[in-house]
Amino acid sequence: MTLMKSWVESANATDHPFPLNNLPYGVYSTTDAEARCGVAIGDMILDMQAAEEEGLIVLAEDPLFDVPYWNDLMEQGPAVWAALRARLIAILQEGAEERAAVEPLLVSMADAEMHLPIVVSEYTDFYAGRHHATNVGTMFRGAENALPPNWLHIPIGYNGRASSVIVSGTPVRRPWGQLKSPDHDLPAFLPCRRFDLELEMGAIVGMASEGPITVQEADDAIFGYVLLNDWSARDIQAWEYQPLGPFQAKATATSISPWIVTRAALDPFRCDTPEREFELLDHLKDCGPMLFDIDLSVDLAPEGGPATIIARTNYREMYYSSAQQLAHHSTSGCPMNVADLLGSGTISGAEKDSRGSLLELSWGGKEPITLDSGQQRSFLEDGDTLTLRGHAQGDGYRIGFGDCTGTILPALENPYAR
Ligand code: MN
């Protein structure tokens, strides 16, 4: 696959995140327009509400883009998803006869404020990166018990909170919680002292299911992917997680990048999961390449200081694909809904500088990292800004994800001291 040329000139740069090959879906507003669906093309956004009103995009009898979310489009199913992509390519490609009608419906991305692209139905987060699970398990339980015995057989997850999902750019307040220092006998209620990021991908389920589905059906049901930062309060987590897993440690916020990169745009970058240590049971077996070759990085900028890249990794590092996670999620009969969000689990590589959390990068605070500013970090400090980035590299083009960023605000006064 090579670059598909658009009459929107900025989309033709070889390193632009949003060429015609990509066409990611978001929701934006401007000073002149209330929040609405838009498609990124180069430095511009196509106003989908206007495109539908003008008759340039007609996919169903009733309007799909008179609402500020992509749920209604997803509800239409894969045939309509494909029809939309084909139509967008037709009207935005070089030489398109619709150019004169479409051009007035483009707004500059620089003038747009981004919002959550979907109304998140439910949110589940997994723990499916082997390097991450091994690192965290070693720190929490020792090297002998690093990977729990189930880990190589099922993608482990927990049910998170859809209400806590926020769009990139939204600040994140340091939480309070119950935590217990190793040198104290009893817990205390304090502001989190070990606030952390988790570099993840989020898969957005586009088709509902009632009961068990296969890995192939699950792959077909995934609408697209976003970058996801699963903010994590490590000291709260360490105290609360046994035996039912994380709870308040993960409930403060989960940030996602504003643009949904469709599965169709990522198809050329499919790759296999790693070699299996144990053969997976039939219902979880790989049935084709279902991971994607996506370069990922995280940078950290202290307040008023320069950003330092603290980790580089790749989505290939996952042990389980999102399709396997979705299939596993459905095995119990659990109904899955349109706009369910599945976090991949932290994506860490084998190398020290490819670890997707500060917990791993600083090895539980024992080995602080040094930023370009000279400051050291074991965990996040107030005023720090974290930015996740990602792109798949094609032949002369890129499929980019919008940045996923967030700044840490100081904890409030003790919310119970009144
Ligand atoms: Mn996570």
Side-chain angles (χ1 to χ4, degrees):
M1 176 75 77
T2 54
L3 176 73
M4 298 194 290
K5 284 208 159 176
S6 170
W7 52 260
V8 179
E9 265 311 312
S10 58
N12 298 327
T14 54
D15 60 350
H16 201 290
F18 306 130
L20 186 60
N21 306 59
N22 193 347
L23 299 175
Y25 302 150
V27 167
Y28 74 98
S29 61
T30 66
T31 49
D32 301 326
E34 286 183 8
R36 60 192 54 209
C37 292
V39 177
I41 177 74
D43 296 335
M44 309 299 281
I45 302 174
L46 173 61
D47 178 341
M48 289 299 290
Q49 186 174 325
E52 190 174 57
E53 283 167 4
E54 301 282 321
L56 285 161
I57 303 276
V58 181
L59 298 167
E61 275 181 33
D62 295 322
L64 298 175
F65 299 111
D66 57 347
V67 290
Y69 41 79
W70 284 81
N71 299 52
D72 289 10
L73 182 277
M74 287 194 282
E75 294 274 3
Q76 298 292 311
V80 172
W81 308 347
L84 171 59
R85 182 170 170 82
R87 179 64 182 159
L88 288 168
I89 290 171
I91 65 177
L92 291 168
Q93 70 188 346
E94 202 173 53
E97 59 187 38
E98 293 87 350
R99 174 173 179 171
V102 174
E103 205 155 10
L105 310 184
L106 296 179
V107 300
S108 169
M109 204 172 275
D111 297 334
E113 181 187 345
M114 301 306 297
H115 305 272
L116 276 179
I118 56 171
V119 177
V120 179
S121 175
E122 300 201 50
Y123 165 50
T124 306
D125 193 40
F126 287 89
Y127 185 60
R130 185 167 186 173
H131 300 294
H132 172 72
T134 302
N135 289 337
V136 173
T138 301
M139 278 182 266
F140 278 38
R141 289 179 296 274
E144 267 86 277
N145 303 308
L147 275 191
N150 54 5
W151 199 94
L152 294 164
H153 301 277
I154 49 170
I156 295 175
Y158 65 92
N159 287 305
R161 293 286 302 175
S163 60
S164 67
V165 178
I166 55 177
V167 73
S168 169
T170 311
V172 177
R173 178 79 62 185
R174 181 182 300 277
W176 284 73
Q178 188 179 121
L179 45 98
K180 194 186 85 61
S181 306
D183 46 350
H184 286 98
D185 290 337
L186 291 170
F189 187 71
L190 292 166
C192 171
R193 291 183 282 205
R194 297 185 150 218
F195 204 44
D196 197 2
L197 75 139
E198 289 193 339
L199 167 60
E200 305 193 19
M201 298 287 299
I204 293 168
V205 178
M207 279 202 284
S209 55
E210 288 275 348
I213 60 174
T214 65
V215 173
Q216 183 61 59
E217 287 166 339
D219 189 64
D220 293 341
I222 294 172
F223 181 70
Y225 292 83
V226 290
L227 304 177
L228 184 150
N229 185 350
D230 177 26
W231 302 96
S232 299
R234 299 301 181 193
D235 37 11
I236 299 171
Q237 182 180 359
W239 173 235
E240 74 177 0
Y241 88 104
Q242 300 203 70
L244 287 184
F247 186 49
Q248 291 304 288
K250 305 283 192 167
T252 299
T254 297
S255 301
I256 63 171
S257 52
W259 295 105
I260 302 171
V261 176
T262 61
R263 183 163 47 81
L266 290 171
D267 265 340
F269 306 97
R270 284 179 177 270
C271 58
D272 290 316
T273 45
E275 199 161 329
R276 301 297 170 189
E277 192 159 318
F278 295 97
E279 199 179 340
L280 295 173
L281 295 181
D282 283 346
H283 66 289
L284 289 176
K285 270 205 175 77
D286 293 278
C287 55
M290 291 192 184
L291 283 179
F292 298 93
D293 183 355
I294 300 170
D295 284 322
L296 300 165
S297 68
V298 184
D299 68 47
L300 191 165
E303 194 166 11
T308 302
I309 295 180
I310 58 171
R312 292 179 197 274
T313 182
N314 192 292
Y315 185 47
R316 272 189 317 244
E317 299 286 355
M318 301 314 292
Y319 195 77
Y320 297 100
S321 64
S322 294
Q324 285 166 320
Q325 294 171 337
L326 176 53
H328 174 61
H329 210 320
S330 75
T331 49
S332 59
C334 176
M336 300 303 291
N337 295 317
V338 170
D340 277 349
L341 173 66
L342 307 183
S344 61
T346 307
I347 306 166
S348 293
E351 308 303 322
K352 190 169 179 189
D353 58 3
S354 64
R355 296 172 181 169
S357 68
L358 279 167
L359 177 69
E360 297 163 87
L361 286 163
S362 73
W363 205 253
K366 293 196 178 80
E367 301 166 23
I369 59 168
T370 302
L371 306 177
D372 291 351
S373 62
Q375 292 165 276
Q376 293 205 316
R377 283 293 181 280
S378 291
F379 294 95
L380 295 169
E381 297 196 4
D382 295 344
D384 284 353
T385 297
L386 251 293
T387 305
L388 278 44
R389 300 178 210 276
H391 73 268
Q393 184 62 54
D395 180 10
Y397 77 102
R398 278 182 173 188
I399 298 295
F401 289 73
D403 293 354
C404 180
T405 183
T407 299
I408 309 301
L409 301 178
L412 296 171
E413 295 296 304
N414 184 342
Y416 297 103
R418 55 174 182 246

